[in-house]
Amino acid sequence: QVRLVESGGGSVQAGGSLRLACEVSGFTFPGQSRGWFRQAPGKEREGVAALATGRGSPDYADSVKGRFTVTHDNAQNTLYLQMNSLKLEDTAMYYCAARRAGSAIRRLDERQYSDWGQGTQVTVSS
């Protein structure tokens, strides 16, 4: 089992920044696929950013490229999402996820992940 605990959500004005953190414990391994997803009211959950720990380059949704950065701290086993230039449409519940075995082929596809955190709310206002 993989346990994921998100933190760092909150309310911010458009143009502002927030950093989300996801502490990961349990069944973890190098190269594990981990990602950030979000779900706005009335919309489907969508992939935001994802990576394989310690390997390769991250993937980003087109809507956040150039504004969001996903990183992983191996020592702390924590996944981060730095969100800059926030827009109203970034308002959503943000979830982190991990894949328990193997590597995700499509890292922004939620069906590739087996374990999820409880979510943290991000609200962007004008």
Side-chain angles (χ1 to χ4, degrees), residues 22-76:
C22 175
E23 296 181 44
V24 185
S25 61
F27 188 68
T28 63
F29 53 91
Q32 186 177 41
S33 295
R34 298 181 185 177
W36 288 99
F37 294 78
R38 67 185 181 186
Q39 187 167 23
K43 295 188 177 181
E44 294 185 352
R45 189 159 54 186
E46 63 173 349
V48 175
L51 51 70
T53 57
R55 297 179 185 174
S57 300
D59 294 323
Y60 294 96
D62 289 342
S63 58
V64 306
K65 282 180 181 176
R67 301 188 299 121
F68 290 11
T69 303
V70 60
T71 58
H72 185 263
D73 184 323
N74 292 331
Q76 300 294 325

